Amino acid sequence: MTAAMSSTSSERARRRRPRLSDEAAVHVRELIISGQLKAGEYIRPEVVADDLGMSATPAREGLLQLQTEGFLKVEPRRGFVVSPLSPKDVSDTFEAQALLAGELCARTAGLATSADVKALQNIQTRLEEAAERGDLAEVEELNFEFHRAIYHISDAPKIHWLLASTLRYAPRRFYPTIGGWPDASSHDHHAILKALRASDSEAARQAMAGHIRRAGELLAQHLSTDR
């Protein structure tokens, strides 16, 4: 391998690795949405840094990122404090997500080949097998893979980018702990697959939008009982 190729490989590897500040933001965001950090509680960069084994600088950058997203606010001389997050906030975000995801799925219905649908069915089969085993981490990973594949086929990167901005309210690692979510994920995907198999764009839109709205309802219910 030449020096130039080695340098290029190293640069690609660095780009694939998440920034430490992003890691800190993901960690704290999930603590907030799961209810482990509640509205009005203070959080210090040094504590986040100790939890994640990083320096305080990227931890602080991660908290500043959450401030711009509305999860935290800064009080003079006191630092970062968790902002209120109501079930309605979550429901509103998921409503936007449902509209965007529905549009992507509708476009996929017009573009997906039989091989695409077969690959999606394979993911779904593995997801259901993981659910039967009680392997919720695998269920979550396969659910993410299922949705990612559908959105990729849609060939609508700008809409996908907008959708991604709503996913901050849907922490992947937290979902399997929400009552009813694994069953809903398994059940709702069948309607999506049926619509894609028939190349029915409107049915695909409704199936995906309904799936996302149910996920939002489950999370909102969790927040209502937890807080």
Side-chain angles (χ1 to χ4, degrees):
M1 180 182 294
T2 66
M5 291 176 62
S6 177
S7 176
T8 300
S9 298
S10 298
E11 289 174 2
R12 287 175 179 168
R14 283 196 295 272
R15 284 198 297 269
R16 284 195 297 267
R17 289 197 299 267
R19 295 187 306 169
L20 292 177
S21 58
D22 292 336
E23 183 181 342
V26 168
H27 172 70
V28 176
R29 189 187 296 118
E30 292 187 349
L31 291 177
I32 293 171
I33 294 178
S34 68
Q36 296 177 68
L37 277 175
K38 301 184 184 300
E41 289 190 33
Y42 290 89
I43 181 165
R44 300 177 58 192
E46 295 81 6
V47 173
V48 176
D50 287 343
D51 288 344
L52 299 178
M54 62 176 64
S55 69
T57 297
R60 179 176 177 79
E61 290 172 352
L63 296 182
L64 287 169
Q65 179 180 329
L66 293 180
Q67 181 192 4
T68 65
E69 295 173 9
F71 286 99
L72 299 175
K73 56 185 178 181
V74 176
E75 293 189 355
R77 296 183 298 279
R78 303 193 71 178
F80 295 96
V81 61
V82 178
S83 300
L85 178 64
S86 71
K88 183 179 182 300
D89 293 331
V90 173
S91 296
D92 288 346
T93 302
F94 273 81
E95 180 60 29
Q97 186 182 142
L99 295 172
L100 294 167
E103 175 63 23
L104 290 174
C105 198
R107 296 191 184 198
T108 292
L111 296 172
T113 65
S114 58
D116 290 330
V117 176
K118 184 177 180 180
L120 287 166
Q121 180 61 65
N122 179 57
I123 296 171
Q124 179 63 17
T125 299
R126 291 160 54 206
L127 187 155
E128 292 176 10
E129 291 172 349
E132 289 178 3
R133 296 193 306 270
D135 188 347
L136 297 184
E138 182 69 6
V139 169
E140 177 274 318
E141 184 61 38
L142 290 167
N143 178 71
F144 176 75
E145 186 177 341
F146 182 86
H147 283 262
R148 179 176 58 186
I150 289 174
Y151 302 152
H152 176 73
I153 295 168
S154 71
D155 192 29
K158 296 303 183 185
I159 298 177
H160 193 183
W161 178 83
L162 289 169
L163 174 64
S165 69
T166 72
L167 297 180
R168 300 185 183 102
Y169 289 84
R172 288 176 52 194
R173 286 175 287 183
F174 174 54
Y175 252 135
T177 67
I178 301 174
W181 178 84
D183 290 337
S185 179
S186 178
H187 177 271
D188 292 353
H189 287 183
H190 286 287
I192 295 170
L193 284 167
K194 180 180 179 180
L196 295 179
R197 199 173 286 115
S199 299
D200 188 332
S201 293
E202 191 53 36
R205 182 193 308 278
Q206 295 302 322
M208 178 62 80
H211 175 48
I212 298 298
R213 289 189 180 103
R214 272 185 285 280
E217 290 167 2
L218 289 171
L219 181 53
Q221 290 170 8
H222 175 86
L223 291 173
S224 295
T225 58
D226 187 62
R227 296 178 183 221

